[in-house]
Amino acid sequence: MGLEDEASMESRLVAKVDQVFVGRVRLMLPDGEATGIFKAPVDRPVRLTATGLEGDEQADLRHHGGLDKALHHYPVEHYAVMAEEWPQCASLLAAGVLGENISTRGMTEHDLCIGDILRLGGARVQVSQPRSPCWKIDRRLKGDNASRFVEAAGITGWYYRVLEPGMIAAGDTTELLERPNPWLSLAHYWDEVMAHRPDPVSLRRIAGAVGLAADKAKRWADRADWLEAHAG
């Protein structure tokens, strides 16, 4: 991609925040497992801090929340893809159901790259990694293979780290400011790391991408080492 093409692409990458969601930890039936997946829309500005939105909670802090998973962004158009797979659940499949914090239209994993820095309302954020779907999606959607479908289709949404705290609200603009890794869209990242036997060279390049969460960078560098050690 030439510099002019990249600049033109970046100038178009603007989306509006349709909704902002927060939620407290509650129990998920039938097992009574604590979860933060249940979110509700807020109709007022909310402060985004380094660890997330004020008033929002996560139950499993090993896999959710933290500096590299401060905010979860999910494109609303992905719900139509899921509704085609499970028409019986169509009435349930609406923004907020998967526990996202912000919902937009017109910005997907094919448009954003690992390390992208964006202006989000009054905050500045950086794309750190895709979401890794888990069993709670199955429970939430009442579908045994829902998380696997989301993973296989690459419609996982993504996480931001917060570079500059600020207030965000529905109606705010999300705009790309910087792109250090134009070669590493979220969609490409997901395809590479989820391959049955990834190319170690590609994994090392991904591990070195600016802005990638440190635990993911180590994971893919270690994976590359293992693949090379077991090449035969």
Side-chain angles (χ1 to χ4, degrees), residues 132-184:
S132 296
C134 70
W135 63 269
K136 291 182 181 179
I137 292 178
D138 294 1
R139 294 289 178 82
R140 187 73 173 100
L141 300 183
K142 299 179 176 64
D144 290 341
N145 296 310
S147 60
R148 290 184 181 180
F149 176 79
V150 168
E151 178 181 272
I155 52 174
T156 64
W158 56 90
Y159 288 109
Y160 295 114
R161 68 171 57 87
V162 178
L163 302 180
E164 181 182 314
M167 304 298 292
I168 69 171
D172 282 347
T173 297
T174 299
E175 180 180 6
L176 179 64
L177 300 177
E178 299 178 36
R179 170 158 287 174
N181 311 302
W183 55 276
L184 190 55

Side-chain angles (χ1 to χ4, degrees), residues 64-114:
H64 301 283
L67 298 179
D68 284 332
K69 298 180 182 178
L71 192 75
H72 181 220
H73 185 160
Y74 199 71
V76 70
E77 47 264 60
H78 289 345
Y79 285 106
V81 178
M82 284 184 273
E84 289 184 7
E85 183 74 8
W86 299 291
Q88 70 275 17
C89 300
S91 61
L92 179 65
L93 293 166
V97 167
L98 295 192
E100 63 265 35
N101 295 120
I102 63 171
S103 175
T104 61
R105 189 181 302 276
M107 180 182 284
T108 73
E109 291 84 352
H110 293 275
D111 302 305
L112 285 179
C113 297
I114 293 290

